[in-house]
Amino acid sequence: MGRAWGLLVGLLGVVWLLRLGHGEERRPETAAQRCFCQVSGYLDDCTCDVETIDKFNNYRLFPRLQKLLESDYFRYYKVNLKKPCPFWNDINQCGRRDCAVKPCHSDEVPDGIKSASYKYSEEANRIEECEQAERLGAVDESLSEETQKAVLQWTKHDDSSDSFCEIDDIQSPDAEYVDLLLNPERYTGYKGPDAWRIWSVIYEENCFKPQTIQRPLASGQGKSKENTFYNWLEGLCVEKRAFYRLISGLHASINVHLSARYLLQDTWLEKKWGHNVTEFQQRFDGILTEGEGPRRLKNLYFLYLIELRALSKVLPFFERPDFQLFTGNKVQDAENKALLLEILHEIKSFPLHFDENSFFAGDKNEAHKLKEDFRLHFRNISRIMDCVGCFKCRLWGKLQTQGLGTALKILFSEKLIANMPESGPSYEFQLTRQEIVSLFNAFGRISTSVRELENFRHLLQNVH
Ligand SMILES: *[C@@H]1O[C@H](CO)[C@@H](O)[C@H](O)[C@H]1NC(C)=O
Ligand SMILES: *[C@@H]1O[C@H](CO)[C@@H](O)[C@H](O)[C@H]1NC(C)=O
């Protein structure tokens, strides 16, 4: 008996050693494994695993979220696509048809949405009144005391240090409503040096990265520089690493969409968009990307968890009785709010939420400075979106950065105390309609990406 055991253990040991020896060198068998080999099990910097997210997202969240995003409240996004790029001025406006964005005719947008961008609650109506007063001059003495207070509060809200994005002035004549359902994010042919420059600036100048360290694949360098990069990344505090991972996750998510809605056929008779597995592999295959692809996909899940956590935290804000998804259609508005709350409760029930309290938790002064840095870097990225040459990409880039910015604002807001039901939600915390629309649409995009990964997993099973 004892000898048999010894033999067995010995054999297992040999097998294990053999595998270890080959593990590094051996090419994983299938195309699917080459993209997804690292994308399973636990994720770094959090206690969640990919399989739990997939199940939760694909079957419980994704279908309901899609339905919500088709509603009038969420499909019309007001955005200024004509803002000049603040960093350089030689933008090559690509002339491609697929880059065009069709703004809405003014009679398409429901009056309720047009009439006021903040018109979602009693309180907001009052604030709107105040804003008008403000434009006329300082706080109008004739306003009630209550209204004056609201004005001051609103002003504070406006220039508060909460905001992670450079917010478009939606009162500007250049800001227009866009129907997101009619202008879907998909492959536009926008690539090459211009697109590359945008991402490169984002990573190079805005991810806390010193110039001396090169990002992998930034200029086709070999293994050693890659190690330098990841050593550097590992050495960072969790917050700065998180920043990089969020940006990388966003980049990955956008590339998943472009691969899933690739322009497959372009004749005068018809255009067909669909999955392009080759394109997906070029972005995410472990071998073709020298190991980068699977990391990008992991960062996509990380981004998902961050936005998921923000949505669960912001639930009390949407539960306020006077909150409305106001479009002017009472019945529809009430149904939408019910669906929204159902989704948020579902999100809240997710068992493995990210713990944002591990962020900015150190020494108070240092944490404050770090948070400020984080915010400034992120704001900068939202401004870079005005430099994207292709309007369709600019639209979705702005929407997704604003959505992520709103998620960060929620996560790091001290005004929104999530876990104190007895005190009720703090009314100091506010979101504008534009922030709400971008928050949910941005999350909808990442949710779609996670769903699409399942499609690509299946498609890749037939590829070698
Ligand atoms: C903002 O971006 C610009 C252009 O990339 C860069 O020159 C500047 O240093 C950035 N500032 C911060 C705080 O990242
Ligand atoms: C898929 O994408 C690749 C580039 O990654 C391209 O060369 C190929 O033509 C595309 N396939 C189709 C059917 O459009």
Side-chain angles (χ1 to χ4, degrees):
M1 190 63 192
R3 263 186 59 195
W5 261 117
L7 207 63
L8 188 64
V9 171
L11 256 175
L12 283 176
V14 170
V15 170
W16 184 70
L17 276 175
L18 279 174
R19 288 194 45 166
L20 203 67
H22 281 116
E24 285 288 310
E25 307 296 324
R26 211 178 51 203
R27 231 174 126 98
E29 303 294 342
T30 68
Q33 279 167 349
R34 286 203 301 277
C35 294
F36 292 106
C37 56
Q38 287 181 36
V39 191
S40 70
Y42 285 94
L43 293 161
D44 314 332
D45 287 335
C46 62
T47 57
C48 189
D49 63 283
V50 167
E51 291 75 11
T52 308
I53 301 177
D54 283 347
K55 260 211 299 246
F56 175 76
N57 178 69
N58 298 354
Y59 301 103
R60 297 173 69 171
L61 217 50
F62 175 77
R64 281 186 258 187
L65 197 56
Q66 286 313 103
K67 181 157 178 250
L68 182 73
L69 295 179
E70 284 168 14
S71 70
D72 279 355
Y73 187 89
F74 287 102
R75 70 190 284 187
Y76 296 111
Y77 177 57
K78 197 168 188 188
V79 62
N80 183 354
L81 294 175
K82 297 180 189 150
K83 250 170 132 175
C85 165
F87 301 115
W88 57 80
N89 47 26
D90 57 328
I91 296 180
N92 182 4
Q93 299 284 6
C94 73
R96 294 182 59 102
R97 260 177 316 158
D98 298 331
C99 279
V101 171
K102 287 191 258 347
C104 298
H105 280 294
S106 65
D107 54 353
E108 274 172 64
V109 183
D111 287 338
I113 292 180
K114 269 185 301 188
S115 60
S117 42
Y118 305 123
K119 191 166 183 172
Y120 50 75
S121 68
E122 285 301 310
E123 184 187 32
N125 285 343
R126 209 167 59 226
I127 287 165
E128 216 217 355
E129 188 183 301
C130 306
E131 284 193 318
Q132 273 163 7
E134 242 195 325
R135 251 177 268 127
L136 298 174
V139 178
D140 185 338
E141 297 285 317
S142 68
L143 295 175
S144 72
E145 196 178 317
E146 197 187 11
T147 310
Q148 286 189 34
K149 233 193 270 161
V151 173
L152 293 176
Q153 199 184 35
W154 191 259
T155 319
K156 208 166 84 202
H157 163 62
D158 257 359
D159 58 18
S160 76
S161 53
D162 279 359
S163 179
F164 279 77
C165 279
E166 175 109 342
I167 312 248
D168 276 0
D169 173 16
I170 54 171
Q171 311 292 347
S172 150
D174 284 338
E176 291 180 289
Y177 282 100
V178 172
D179 184 340
L180 296 172
L181 298 182
L182 293 183
N183 294 279
E185 182 182 28
R186 62 188 172 198
Y187 186 82
T188 60
Y190 178 61
K191 52 177 163 190
D194 287 332
W196 191 82
R197 178 178 181 185
I198 298 281
W199 283 110
S200 157
V201 165
I202 289 178
Y203 283 112
E204 294 304 307
E205 298 190 48
N206 294 292
C207 281
F208 298 99
K209 197 183 70 55
Q211 296 237 306
T212 48
I213 292 179
Q214 286 201 4
R215 194 166 54 92
L217 299 185
S219 53
Q221 73 282 24
K223 253 319 188 235
S224 74
K225 288 218 177 105
E226 188 177 304
N227 285 339
T228 319
F229 177 80
Y230 286 105
N231 285 341
W232 165 77
L233 199 63
E234 281 312 305
L236 285 182
C237 60
V238 63
E239 294 84 358
K240 290 186 180 176
R241 191 162 59 235
F243 191 92
Y244 169 79
R245 299 188 64 194
L246 289 176
I247 300 304
S248 164
L250 192 62
H251 194 179
S253 177
I254 289 173
N255 282 331
V256 170
H257 299 143
L258 302 188
S259 314
R261 303 192 80 175
Y262 195 93
L263 183 57
L264 296 174
Q265 199 187 326
D266 188 9
T267 64
W268 62 274
L269 265 179
E270 92 175 316
K271 276 177 184 263
K272 238 175 80 186
W273 275 271
H275 294 88
N276 183 331
V277 174
T278 314
E279 178 79 10
F280 183 86
Q281 284 178 297
Q282 286 189 354
R283 313 249 184 207
F284 300 110
D285 184 290
I287 306 252
L288 297 179
T289 61
E290 297 178 29
E292 276 299 291
R295 285 196 186 100
R296 292 175 187 152
L297 292 180
K298 275 166 97 171
N299 292 338
L300 168 66
Y301 281 95
F302 181 73
L303 172 65
Y304 184 90
L305 286 176
I306 291 282
E307 295 201 4
L308 193 73
R309 172 67 189 122
L311 287 169
S312 111
K313 190 181 171 191
V314 81
L315 171 63
F317 168 80
F318 290 105
E319 272 182 326
R320 293 173 191 170
D322 59 359
F323 175 82
Q324 295 177 45
L325 291 170
F326 190 85
T327 67
N329 179 338
K330 258 201 157 98
V331 178
Q332 194 66 58
D333 291 355
E335 275 175 23
N336 280 340
K337 182 171 175 183
L339 178 58
L340 177 94
L341 290 181
E342 191 188 308
I343 290 172
L344 290 177
H345 278 283
E346 182 79 52
I347 288 177
K348 196 159 187 215
S349 76
F350 182 72
L352 299 168
H353 269 298
F354 183 82
D355 176 15
E356 80 278 8
N357 291 324
S358 58
F359 278 10
F360 309 120
D363 172 72
K364 242 200 149 86
N365 283 333
E366 229 166 273
H368 185 77
K369 178 165 182 311
L370 192 57
K371 189 165 155 183
E372 194 53 24
D373 258 13
F374 203 93
R375 207 173 55 78
L376 287 179
H377 277 84
F378 195 81
R379 273 183 96 106
N380 219 5
I381 288 178
S382 77
R383 293 163 74 202
I384 290 174
M385 290 299 143
D386 288 320
C387 305
V388 175
C390 169
F391 280 116
K392 181 76 80 57
C393 315
R394 186 184 295 188
L395 166 68
W396 286 98
K398 283 179 81 120
L399 180 131
Q400 290 178 84
T401 40
Q402 195 188 15
L404 176 55
T406 306
L408 295 174
K409 168 177 160 175
I410 293 166
L411 281 183
F412 302 129
S413 169
E414 281 137 27
K415 292 179 192 146
L416 187 76
I417 315 281
N419 298 319
M420 294 175 73
E422 68 277 8
S423 66
S426 156
Y427 272 75
E428 255 186 77
F429 183 82
Q430 292 291 353
L431 292 177
T432 64
R433 176 176 180 277
Q434 209 197 9
E435 285 175 313
I436 295 169
V437 171
S438 64
L439 175 67
F440 282 88
N441 271 293
F443 183 66
R445 294 279 73 211
I446 308 167
S447 170
T448 306
S449 290
V450 168
R451 178 72 185 72
E452 283 296 350
L453 290 185
E454 188 169 292
N455 293 336
F456 277 113
R457 249 194 208 105
H458 289 307
L459 290 169
L460 281 166
Q461 263 157 17
N462 309 318
V463 178
H464 295 286

mmCIF file of all heavy atoms in Angstrom, residues 76-82 101-104 109 170 172-179 395:
data_model
loop_
_atom_site.group_PDB
_atom_site.id
_atom_site.type_symbol
_atom_site.label_atom_id
_atom_site.label_comp_id
_atom_site.label_asym_id
_atom_site.label_seq_id
_atom_site.Cartn_x
_atom_site.Cartn_y
_atom_site.Cartn_z
ATOM 1 N N TYR A 76 -31.797 59.557 -26.094
ATOM 2 C CA TYR A 76 -31.407 60.900 -26.562
ATOM 3 C C TYR A 76 -30.322 61.488 -25.669
ATOM 4 O O TYR A 76 -30.539 61.735 -24.490
ATOM 5 C CB TYR A 76 -32.624 61.824 -26.595
ATOM 6 C CG TYR A 76 -33.669 61.366 -27.581
ATOM 7 C CD1 TYR A 76 -34.901 60.877 -27.149
ATOM 8 C CD2 TYR A 76 -33.407 61.397 -28.946
ATOM 9 C CE1 TYR A 76 -35.852 60.443 -28.060
ATOM 10 C CE2 TYR A 76 -34.347 60.954 -29.859
ATOM 11 C CZ TYR A 76 -35.568 60.477 -29.410
ATOM 12 O OH TYR A 76 -36.490 60.038 -30.316
ATOM 13 N N TYR A 77 -29.185 61.703 -26.249
ATOM 14 C CA TYR A 77 -28.033 62.199 -25.492
ATOM 15 C C TYR A 77 -27.636 63.550 -26.073
ATOM 16 O O TYR A 77 -27.447 63.672 -27.276
ATOM 17 C CB TYR A 77 -26.892 61.195 -25.635
ATOM 18 C CG TYR A 77 -25.580 61.563 -24.973
ATOM 19 C CD1 TYR A 77 -25.523 61.831 -23.605
ATOM 20 C CD2 TYR A 77 -24.395 61.612 -25.704
ATOM 21 C CE1 TYR A 77 -24.315 62.143 -22.991
ATOM 22 C CE2 TYR A 77 -23.183 61.914 -25.096
ATOM 23 C CZ TYR A 77 -23.147 62.170 -23.740
ATOM 24 O OH TYR A 77 -21.948 62.466 -23.145
ATOM 25 N N LYS A 78 -27.560 64.540 -25.203
ATOM 26 C CA LYS A 78 -27.184 65.855 -25.704
ATOM 27 C C LYS A 78 -25.676 66.036 -25.590
ATOM 28 O O LYS A 78 -25.102 65.832 -24.525
ATOM 29 C CB LYS A 78 -27.903 66.962 -24.929
ATOM 30 C CG LYS A 78 -27.855 68.285 -25.670
ATOM 31 C CD LYS A 78 -28.795 69.312 -25.069
ATOM 32 C CE LYS A 78 -28.863 70.541 -25.971
ATOM 33 N NZ LYS A 78 -29.600 71.641 -25.344
ATOM 34 N N VAL A 79 -25.072 66.432 -26.674
ATOM 35 C CA VAL A 79 -23.614 66.445 -26.698
ATOM 36 C C VAL A 79 -23.132 67.533 -27.649
ATOM 37 O O VAL A 79 -23.792 67.845 -28.639
ATOM 38 C CB VAL A 79 -23.098 65.047 -27.138
ATOM 39 C CG1 VAL A 79 -23.575 64.700 -28.542
ATOM 40 C CG2 VAL A 79 -21.600 64.927 -27.050
ATOM 41 N N ASN A 80 -22.003 68.110 -27.308
ATOM 42 C CA ASN A 80 -21.398 69.090 -28.192
ATOM 43 C C ASN A 80 -20.231 68.435 -28.925
ATOM 44 O O ASN A 80 -19.164 68.236 -28.366
ATOM 45 C CB ASN A 80 -20.913 70.295 -27.375
ATOM 46 C CG ASN A 80 -20.338 71.384 -28.262
ATOM 47 O OD1 ASN A 80 -20.191 71.196 -29.473
ATOM 48 N ND2 ASN A 80 -20.011 72.514 -27.667
ATOM 49 N N LEU A 81 -20.454 68.117 -30.186
ATOM 50 C CA LEU A 81 -19.393 67.454 -30.955
ATOM 51 C C LEU A 81 -18.518 68.457 -31.700
ATOM 52 O O LEU A 81 -17.619 68.073 -32.429
ATOM 53 C CB LEU A 81 -20.014 66.459 -31.952
ATOM 54 C CG LEU A 81 -20.733 65.262 -31.328
ATOM 55 C CD1 LEU A 81 -21.414 64.415 -32.394
ATOM 56 C CD2 LEU A 81 -19.757 64.399 -30.526
ATOM 57 N N LYS A 82 -18.820 69.728 -31.492
ATOM 58 C CA LYS A 82 -18.064 70.737 -32.256
ATOM 59 C C LYS A 82 -17.047 71.480 -31.413
ATOM 60 O O LYS A 82 -16.497 72.481 -31.835
ATOM 61 C CB LYS A 82 -19.041 71.749 -32.865
ATOM 62 C CG LYS A 82 -19.988 71.102 -33.865
ATOM 63 C CD LYS A 82 -20.943 72.127 -34.436
ATOM 64 C CE LYS A 82 -22.031 71.453 -35.257
ATOM 65 N NZ LYS A 82 -23.278 72.218 -35.230
ATOM 66 N N VAL A 101 -22.413 61.507 -37.793
ATOM 67 C CA VAL A 101 -23.424 61.399 -36.744
ATOM 68 C C VAL A 101 -24.607 62.241 -37.169
ATOM 69 O O VAL A 101 -24.436 63.403 -37.537
ATOM 70 C CB VAL A 101 -22.883 61.924 -35.396
ATOM 71 C CG1 VAL A 101 -23.997 62.026 -34.372
ATOM 72 C CG2 VAL A 101 -21.771 61.021 -34.889
ATOM 73 N N LYS A 102 -25.792 61.640 -37.151
ATOM 74 C CA LYS A 102 -26.975 62.414 -37.513
ATOM 75 C C LYS A 102 -27.614 62.966 -36.251
ATOM 76 O O LYS A 102 -28.156 62.205 -35.451
ATOM 77 C CB LYS A 102 -28.004 61.516 -38.215
ATOM 78 C CG LYS A 102 -27.630 61.120 -39.630
ATOM 79 C CD LYS A 102 -28.808 60.465 -40.327
ATOM 80 C CE LYS A 102 -28.805 58.982 -40.451
ATOM 81 N NZ LYS A 102 -27.889 58.004 -40.271
ATOM 82 N N PRO A 103 -27.576 64.271 -36.059
ATOM 83 C CA PRO A 103 -28.264 64.816 -34.885
ATOM 84 C C PRO A 103 -29.775 64.758 -35.096
ATOM 85 O O PRO A 103 -30.245 64.616 -36.225
ATOM 86 C CB PRO A 103 -27.774 66.260 -34.805
ATOM 87 C CG PRO A 103 -27.200 66.578 -36.123
ATOM 88 C CD PRO A 103 -26.896 65.300 -36.841
ATOM 89 N N CYS A 104 -30.526 64.870 -34.022
ATOM 90 C CA CYS A 104 -31.980 64.761 -34.130
ATOM 91 C C CYS A 104 -32.577 66.049 -34.659
ATOM 92 O O CYS A 104 -32.090 67.137 -34.364
ATOM 93 C CB CYS A 104 -32.585 64.514 -32.755
ATOM 94 S SG CYS A 104 -32.055 63.001 -32.019
ATOM 95 N N VAL A 109 -37.263 64.845 -30.574
ATOM 96 C CA VAL A 109 -36.981 64.666 -29.155
ATOM 97 C C VAL A 109 -38.218 65.054 -28.351
ATOM 98 O O VAL A 109 -38.782 66.125 -28.577
ATOM 99 C CB VAL A 109 -35.784 65.561 -28.740
ATOM 100 C CG1 VAL A 109 -35.418 65.331 -27.297
ATOM 101 C CG2 VAL A 109 -34.599 65.293 -29.650
ATOM 102 N N ILE A 170 -24.193 72.202 -22.172
ATOM 103 C CA ILE A 170 -25.273 71.745 -23.040
ATOM 104 C C ILE A 170 -26.239 72.864 -23.398
ATOM 105 O O ILE A 170 -27.162 72.669 -24.168
ATOM 106 C CB ILE A 170 -26.025 70.527 -22.469
ATOM 107 C CG1 ILE A 170 -26.517 70.815 -21.072
ATOM 108 C CG2 ILE A 170 -25.165 69.297 -22.496
ATOM 109 C CD1 ILE A 170 -27.442 69.729 -20.586
ATOM 110 N N SER A 172 -25.026 75.431 -24.869
ATOM 111 C CA SER A 172 -24.380 76.017 -26.042
ATOM 112 C C SER A 172 -25.181 75.672 -27.308
ATOM 113 O O SER A 172 -25.711 74.574 -27.435
ATOM 114 C CB SER A 172 -22.960 75.451 -26.157
ATOM 115 O OG SER A 172 -22.571 75.395 -27.510
ATOM 116 N N PRO A 173 -25.246 76.606 -28.248
ATOM 117 C CA PRO A 173 -25.980 76.322 -29.481
ATOM 118 C C PRO A 173 -25.360 75.157 -30.267
ATOM 119 O O PRO A 173 -26.017 74.555 -31.110
ATOM 120 C CB PRO A 173 -25.881 77.623 -30.282
ATOM 121 C CG PRO A 173 -24.967 78.521 -29.546
ATOM 122 C CD PRO A 173 -24.718 77.970 -28.196
ATOM 123 N N ASP A 174 -24.111 74.861 -29.990
ATOM 124 C CA ASP A 174 -23.462 73.757 -30.688
ATOM 125 C C ASP A 174 -23.853 72.382 -30.141
ATOM 126 O O ASP A 174 -23.582 71.363 -30.767
ATOM 127 C CB ASP A 174 -21.934 73.893 -30.594
ATOM 128 C CG ASP A 174 -21.422 74.962 -31.532
ATOM 129 O OD1 ASP A 174 -22.145 75.279 -32.507
ATOM 130 O OD2 ASP A 174 -20.318 75.478 -31.300
ATOM 131 N N ALA A 175 -24.441 72.371 -28.959
ATOM 132 C CA ALA A 175 -24.822 71.080 -28.380
ATOM 133 C C ALA A 175 -26.120 70.602 -29.019
ATOM 134 O O ALA A 175 -27.067 71.370 -29.161
ATOM 135 C CB ALA A 175 -24.997 71.221 -26.874
ATOM 136 N N GLU A 176 -26.145 69.352 -29.429
ATOM 137 C CA GLU A 176 -27.321 68.828 -30.116
ATOM 138 C C GLU A 176 -27.701 67.467 -29.540
ATOM 139 O O GLU A 176 -26.859 66.738 -29.025
ATOM 140 C CB GLU A 176 -27.012 68.644 -31.608
ATOM 141 C CG GLU A 176 -26.843 69.944 -32.348
ATOM 142 C CD GLU A 176 -26.544 69.717 -33.825
ATOM 143 O OE1 GLU A 176 -25.423 69.268 -34.133
ATOM 144 O OE2 GLU A 176 -27.432 69.978 -34.635
ATOM 145 N N TYR A 177 -28.995 67.152 -29.677
ATOM 146 C CA TYR A 177 -29.427 65.825 -29.271
ATOM 147 C C TYR A 177 -29.054 64.813 -30.336
ATOM 148 O O TYR A 177 -29.222 65.060 -31.524
ATOM 149 C CB TYR A 177 -30.941 65.798 -29.064
ATOM 150 C CG TYR A 177 -31.352 66.409 -27.759
ATOM 151 C CD1 TYR A 177 -31.842 67.711 -27.698
ATOM 152 C CD2 TYR A 177 -31.229 65.686 -26.576
ATOM 153 C CE1 TYR A 177 -32.209 68.273 -26.496
ATOM 154 C CE2 TYR A 177 -31.588 66.244 -25.367
ATOM 155 C CZ TYR A 177 -32.077 67.535 -25.330
ATOM 156 O OH TYR A 177 -32.421 68.090 -24.137
ATOM 157 N N VAL A 178 -28.584 63.668 -29.871
ATOM 158 C CA VAL A 178 -28.268 62.587 -30.788
ATOM 159 C C VAL A 178 -29.061 61.369 -30.348
ATOM 160 O O VAL A 178 -29.149 61.076 -29.155
ATOM 161 C CB VAL A 178 -26.757 62.270 -30.743
ATOM 162 C CG1 VAL A 178 -26.449 61.034 -31.548
ATOM 163 C CG2 VAL A 178 -25.959 63.449 -31.251
ATOM 164 N N ASP A 179 -29.664 60.700 -31.301
ATOM 165 C CA ASP A 179 -30.369 59.464 -30.994
ATOM 166 C C ASP A 179 -29.348 58.326 -31.037
ATOM 167 O O ASP A 179 -28.850 57.954 -32.092
ATOM 168 C CB ASP A 179 -31.473 59.243 -32.039
ATOM 169 C CG ASP A 179 -32.315 58.015 -31.723
ATOM 170 O OD1 ASP A 179 -31.837 57.147 -30.968
ATOM 171 O OD2 ASP A 179 -33.440 57.935 -32.247
ATOM 172 N N LEU A 395 -18.387 60.764 -30.478
ATOM 173 C CA LEU A 395 -19.641 60.653 -29.727
ATOM 174 C C LEU A 395 -19.554 59.554 -28.669
ATOM 175 O O LEU A 395 -19.800 59.784 -27.483
ATOM 176 C CB LEU A 395 -20.788 60.352 -30.699
ATOM 177 C CG LEU A 395 -22.101 59.869 -30.086
ATOM 178 C CD1 LEU A 395 -22.749 60.980 -29.278
ATOM 179 C CD2 LEU A 395 -23.059 59.374 -31.171
#
